[in-house]
Amino acid sequence: MEKIQRAWWKEAAVYQIYPRSFCDSNGDGIGDLNGILQKLDYIQGLGVDVLWLNPIYDSPNVDNGYDIRDYRAILAEFGTMEDFDRLLEAVHRRGMRLVMDLVVNHTSDQHPWFLASRSDRNGPMRDYYIWKDPKPDGGPPNNWGGCFGGPAWTYDKDTGQYYLHLFTPEQPDLNWENPAVRDAVFDMMDFWFQRGIDGFRMDVISMISKGGYADGPLRADGLYGDYTGQCANGPRVHEYLREMNRRVLSRYDCMTVGENAAVTPELACQYAGFDRGELNMVFHFELMDVDGGETRRWELEHPWKLTDIKGVMTRWQTLLDGRAWNTLFWGNHDQPRPVSRFGDDSTEESRVRSAKMLAVCLYLMQGTPYIYQGEELGMTNTHFTSIDSINDVQTRNAYRERTERLGVSHEDMMGVINYNSREHARTPMHWTAGRNAGFTDGEPWIALNPNYPYINAQSQVDDPDSVYHFYRRLLAVRKGSDTLLYGHYRLLLPDSEEIYAYTRTLNGKEILVVCNFTGKEVRWNLPDGWTHGEILISNYDGAGAGNVLRPFEAFALRRGGQSET
Ligand code: GLC
Ligand code: CA
């Protein structure tokens, strides 16, 4: 018998909440902590175990909370520390856990540390951030461009130096080489653990150690150099994470997941290897990049192939097995809606079938599922006609830079925004068919997707065939099966561009997962020995009947005669 290395965070499913767009309790048009509190029945009903909240700290909101002004205060729009404590207690009372976002690659430029750092070249806090002298011609220290447009350096004329910001100028990068910065960050993490939280999702954590400051290779847009080679997976990143683990994480029963740009499965086994004393899991970008949607987000064409998805997932499933633990996600607050991107939202029938199919395909693999709010309803991308209606700083800056400097037309740019902007994920959650989808009694901070009258939580909770109930059943099936939780993955039909099929195997037990990624009927045959399998879940009545898979058909079968116990 193979021994299972159990952990609660391996068996859990995570529900990601973007608080600003989840539920508004007081009519100011902005989602808040009390809104989340009101929806705990709904969340728990789905069968998830962990809530991950996007940042809720005090922030000027240049990047919606990813620019933190005070790590120890709640953003006033979201509520108070008392509201937070009440929410945390209510989550715990239900046997669920709460994970916060840890944003420590950078702070807001309004953080007191940065105000002090920028004010005095020789002051004690100067080295909290990364300051460099201008080039002899007065220009920035190197050619790096920021991830959200413009250069990655901003000049401070009072002190005559540039500071580094991998994102917007309002998000200066912290200098992790300075031990005082690490002390301050670890202290702050401790503060939240002492309040009772259960872990952290760590924002762009693979970028905290900078390896050097030479010019980078020109990016595809030709405007700036790319910093990834020197900033991602830098020379001291593992040392910093081990120090964090030793000084903070190892003292709590918590879970951690890093957002690791430019991570490979091999590197993931370092960041999240079972014996490494760093993190529990990492988010990688390879699945989000099969259509170039991450590294080439604003290019006009985004074709993808099923064999590319299989290639990525199979490498991660295989290389991490027994060494580290996978994260499983189709989307998050930085990505468009999965059913619009990888499924088919063109008709109601195809939307519902393909949303369920995507869930079967991914969440029955080895790893912890992360479900982004609204995904469990099959919420779709919306349609933007003007850049003025968009809030997201990344999208706005890209629009400006590409129309003004690269000559891209308005129509082309709106086309790619309608495919790929992260704004799609940030439209409010659909609760009801009523006014503003039940998200707010006031004026919503951001326009709703107009399809809420027929895609909303209330109608789906009342409908046993809904995407919502399918997610609920799927999570229950996963949780009830050690084979699905811990089994080994093996890909079948590697060359098919239509069918994704794989098995999960543990101690002689076997489960087969089959998904038709097309809206057409596809001919196929059940592999030998599966004809008497037991259907664990299926998005049609009956499964795998005959030699045809129906449009977006998906099911899981347990081998005939086997059971879990
Ligand atoms: C991460 C976050 C994203 C944010 C960026 C800068 O990628 O997920 O929303 O804009 O980091 O903090
Ligand atoms: Ca509110």
Side-chain angles (χ1 to χ4, degrees):
M1 285 287 271
E2 187 178 336
K3 203 166 165 303
I4 300 175
Q5 300 288 331
R6 292 187 182 277
W8 63 262
W9 46 266
K10 294 179 181 171
E11 302 190 4
V14 180
Y15 189 76
Q16 182 191 348
I17 294 180
Y18 197 70
R20 179 165 289 269
S21 299
F22 193 62
C23 178
D24 173 23
S25 71
N26 64 350
D28 66 356
I30 298 172
D32 46 52
L33 297 181
N34 286 331
I36 299 171
L37 184 69
Q38 288 170 13
K39 297 298 181 184
L40 289 183
D41 280 346
Y42 169 85
I43 297 167
Q44 189 171 27
L46 189 58
V48 296
D49 311 274
V50 178
L51 274 52
W52 152 30
L53 305 185
N54 284 108
I56 56 171
Y57 315 95
D58 177 48
S59 163
N61 285 317
V62 170
D63 186 18
N64 285 350
Y66 283 95
D67 47 323
I68 295 170
R69 180 167 47 200
D70 183 349
Y71 287 104
R72 297 174 194 238
I74 302 290
L75 180 73
E77 290 167 334
F78 288 171
T80 62
M81 197 57 97
E82 289 68 47
D83 295 333
F84 175 80
D85 288 340
R86 210 171 320 117
L87 174 63
L88 182 60
E89 204 226 332
V91 167
H92 284 163
R93 213 177 324 118
R94 289 161 184 265
M96 299 191 291
R97 308 195 204 223
L98 191 123
V99 164
M100 302 270 279
D101 219 305
L102 182 76
V103 188
V104 290
N105 175 70
H106 45 266
T107 68
S108 162
D109 65 340
Q110 302 303 307
H111 195 290
W113 298 341
F114 188 72
L115 295 178
S117 178
R118 122 178 268 169
S119 72
D120 180 357
R121 214 180 148 125
N122 302 309
M125 293 205 124
R126 186 65 164 184
D127 280 345
Y128 267 53
Y129 295 84
I130 298 169
W131 293 93
K132 300 278 177 213
D133 289 331
K135 282 224 171 117
D137 69 357
N142 64 31
N143 69 353
W144 294 355
C147 185
F148 296 162
W153 299 94
T154 291
Y155 187 63
D156 178 68
K157 59 179 181 335
D158 294 339
T159 58
Q161 285 189 309
Y162 282 87
Y163 67 88
L164 177 67
H165 49 84
L166 300 186
F167 296 89
T168 70
E170 295 85 359
Q171 293 166 296
D173 278 49
L174 284 165
N175 174 18
W176 273 71
E177 304 217 352
N178 181 350
V181 167
R182 304 203 294 279
D183 287 348
V185 168
F186 300 156
D187 238 40
M188 173 273 283
M189 292 173 71
D190 218 61
F191 166 86
W192 287 101
F193 279 122
Q194 289 294 328
R195 284 206 105 79
I197 68 157
D198 302 291
F200 282 113
R201 173 269 187 187
M202 303 189 186
D203 192 61
V204 290
I205 201 72
S206 57
M207 302 280 205
I208 57 177
S209 165
K210 276 70 173 171
Y213 297 92
D215 281 349
L218 265 200
R219 297 193 313 212
D221 62 17
L223 295 175
Y224 298 100
D226 182 5
Y227 55 63
T228 314
Q230 288 161 91
C231 297
N233 311 309
R236 297 184 67 186
V237 66
H238 298 291
E239 174 198 330
Y240 297 153
L241 289 175
R242 283 174 186 219
E243 183 182 350
M244 177 194 284
N245 190 299
R246 182 167 40 80
R247 291 176 56 184
V248 189
L249 303 174
S250 59
R251 298 172 31 236
Y252 301 95
D253 176 23
C254 63
M255 71 164 251
T256 53
V257 52
E259 186 207 26
N260 287 39
V263 71
T264 59
E266 292 75 14
L267 279 168
C269 290
Q270 298 181 18
Y271 283 111
F274 293 144
D275 52 0
R276 291 272 305 180
E278 295 185 27
L279 304 174
N280 295 138
M281 295 171 260
V282 300
F283 294 131
H284 65 80
F285 284 84
E286 292 188 4
L287 178 59
M288 295 295 102
D289 217 25
V290 289
D291 60 357
E294 187 59 41
T295 51
R296 295 181 284 111
R297 191 184 281 262
W298 306 117
E299 284 183 16
L300 300 185
E301 300 295 328
H302 290 276
W304 58 271
K305 296 213 307 262
L306 183 57
T307 46
D308 291 338
I309 293 186
K310 292 182 195 180
V312 166
M313 296 315 294
T314 302
R315 262 185 319 113
W316 281 84
Q317 287 290 299
T318 317
L319 288 171
L320 268 60
D321 191 9
R323 301 167 67 197
W325 195 248
N326 268 290
T327 56
L328 307 171
F329 63 102
W330 279 121
N332 56 43
H333 64 294
D334 293 330
Q335 300 293 332
R337 293 282 178 178
V339 72
S340 302
R341 182 178 185 181
F342 298 112
D344 178 359
D345 65 4
S346 63
T347 69
E348 180 60 4
E349 166 80 14
S350 64
R351 181 186 70 83
V352 171
R353 293 267 190 232
S354 65
K356 294 173 180 176
M357 181 278 289
L358 290 171
V360 170
C361 181
L362 191 63
Y363 300 140
L364 297 186
M365 292 186 192
Q366 190 188 72
T368 298
Y370 288 77
I371 296 159
Y372 181 70
Q373 66 183 46
E375 179 191 323
E376 77 282 12
L377 307 176
M379 278 180 66
T380 66
N381 281 359
T382 187
H383 188 78
F384 304 109
T385 52
S386 120
I387 190 68
D388 301 328
S389 66
I390 291 179
N391 162 275
D392 170 34
V393 64
Q394 180 189 40
T395 308
R396 295 178 69 89
N397 288 356
Y399 177 91
R400 189 159 15 86
E401 203 161 87
R402 297 185 86 88
T403 55
E404 289 173 9
R405 294 184 63 187
L406 297 176
V408 179
S409 71
H410 167 79
E411 288 70 28
D412 280 350
M413 201 55 206
M414 292 315 291
V416 65
I417 287 171
N418 277 315
Y419 177 77
N420 212 21
S421 170
R422 49 188 202 166
E423 191 88 340
H424 293 291
R426 301 177 180 190
T427 65
M429 177 76 176
H430 297 176
W431 295 107
T432 69
R435 178 161 177 267
N436 294 327
F439 163 69
T440 179
D441 295 337
E443 276 311 301
W445 73 277
I446 186 176
L448 285 123
N449 187 321
N451 64 17
Y452 66 84
Y454 71 95
I455 303 176
N456 62 71
Q458 190 173 48
S459 65
Q460 296 202 23
V461 169
D462 291 342
D463 170 8
D465 286 333
S466 63
V467 181
Y468 172 85
H469 279 287
F470 192 84
Y471 265 72
R472 193 181 54 69
R473 289 199 296 276
L474 183 72
L475 294 177
V477 165
R478 170 182 177 272
K479 191 165 274 182
S481 164
D482 278 347
T483 314
L484 289 174
L485 290 171
Y486 293 104
H488 309 293
Y489 161 104
R490 192 167 64 87
L491 181 68
L492 309 177
L493 307 177
D495 300 323
S496 171
E497 293 292 357
E498 298 169 321
I499 302 171
Y500 198 143
Y502 62 89
T503 57
R504 302 289 308 283
T505 314
L506 186 72
N507 289 326
K509 308 255 169 92
E510 198 170 9
I511 289 172
L512 171 69
V513 178
V514 179
C515 297
N516 176 4
F517 265 72
T518 78
K520 300 175 310 219
E521 293 196 338
V522 176
R523 296 197 61 78
W524 93 303
N525 291 304
L526 260 190
D528 281 349
W530 285 95
T531 26
H532 300 292
E534 174 203 348
I535 299 172
L536 298 176
I537 190 151
S538 162
N539 65 352
Y540 279 89
D541 286 339
N547 295 340
V548 167
L549 291 176
R550 290 160 283 188
F552 299 114
E553 180 160 2
F555 57 84
L557 292 183
R558 191 200 303 283
R559 212 182 246 290
Q562 296 189 341
S563 67
E564 255 329 300
T565 45

